[in-house]
Amino acid sequence: MMRNGRLCDVELLEIGTSSPSFNTARYRENYAKQALMMFFPITAVDDLKFNGSHWEKFMAVGGTKCYDAKLDSQDETPAECMWEYGKKILENIQTRKTVKSKMKRPPDPLTLGTKRPQSTGERTRAHIDDEVRFDADFSEYCIDDDDDDEDTHNGILEPLAQNAKRSH
């Protein structure tokens, strides 16, 4: 399925089928139109179609053939041919889609070794951790010049002393 102007999955194109379903024909037309606009040199919009079809043009310019590095090493793209490196880009897009949707990422070794105990609430009940002041406040890192009970630091940063409490 194509969403947000993205290229659909190549499997949906049913390449090699001569009589595709209605939906497959729509996928083919949209895919071919986007691929041709990106990787086929045109001078007019009509250059994107052959016999009224984007898919026919895509097939005619070699869009369904795999990337060939030998052809890519040529200085110029031959007339009426799709840019060879563009095929590699299309293959890469498809590979990334396949990997994202069908392959599972291996577990991260750091995550595997990290213990994440469930909170039982004991530390909060024992007043060890205060729910309101769990994280460090920015003002804890500022200098208090006026030495009164108010916690105003005038926005001046100061490194913590060796015996100061830290949040980490």
Side-chain angles (χ1 to χ4, degrees):
M1 177 181 292
M2 184 178 359
R3 295 184 185 172
N4 302 327
R6 295 187 184 134
L7 294 169
C8 70
D9 196 340
V10 173
E11 291 177 7
L12 296 174
L13 302 178
E14 297 178 14
I15 297 173
T17 304
S18 58
S19 56
S21 68
F22 175 76
N23 284 337
T24 301
R26 279 190 7 195
Y27 291 138
R28 284 180 175 186
E29 284 296 309
N30 288 329
Y31 185 93
K33 180 180 179 182
Q34 290 182 11
L36 289 169
M37 284 193 297
M38 291 187 285
F39 306 119
F40 183 72
I42 62 169
T43 56
V45 178
D46 293 336
D47 293 346
L48 293 174
K49 291 185 178 182
F50 180 70
N51 293 335
S53 169
H54 294 105
W55 183 254
E56 291 294 323
K57 182 69 169 193
F58 187 68
M59 297 281 285
V61 298
T64 58
K65 295 179 183 168
C66 292
Y67 168 73
D68 186 356
K70 293 176 198 165
L71 296 175
D72 190 30
S73 63
Q74 298 173 355
D75 290 337
E76 291 185 19
T77 301
E80 290 301 311
C81 286
M82 191 171 153
W83 182 42
E84 197 63 32
Y85 197 75
K87 294 178 191 178
K88 186 173 185 176
I89 293 171
L90 290 172
E91 288 175 10
N92 186 34
I93 291 170
Q94 180 60 38
T95 301
R96 290 179 58 95
K97 258 184 210 173
T98 303
V99 166
K100 186 177 180 180
S101 66
K102 298 184 179 176
M103 295 182 75
K104 186 178 178 187
R105 186 176 205 151
D108 180 35
L110 181 62
T111 305
L112 290 173
T114 303
K115 295 178 182 176
R116 296 180 304 239
Q118 290 289 78
S119 174
T120 60
E122 290 178 29
R123 292 178 60 93
T124 304
R125 285 192 294 275
H127 301 291
I128 296 170
D129 291 334
D130 183 11
E131 288 183 23
V132 177
R133 289 186 37 93
F134 184 72
D135 291 325
D137 185 10
F138 177 75
S139 63
E140 293 175 15
Y141 301 100
C142 298
I143 299 172
D144 191 0
D145 288 337
D146 53 6
D147 293 330
D148 59 7
D149 291 339
E150 291 182 31
D151 194 19
T152 58
H153 300 293
N154 300 326
I156 302 170
L157 291 177
E158 168 189 309
L160 292 176
Q162 290 294 328
N163 60 353
K165 292 183 180 179
R166 290 173 168 74
S167 64
H168 56 295

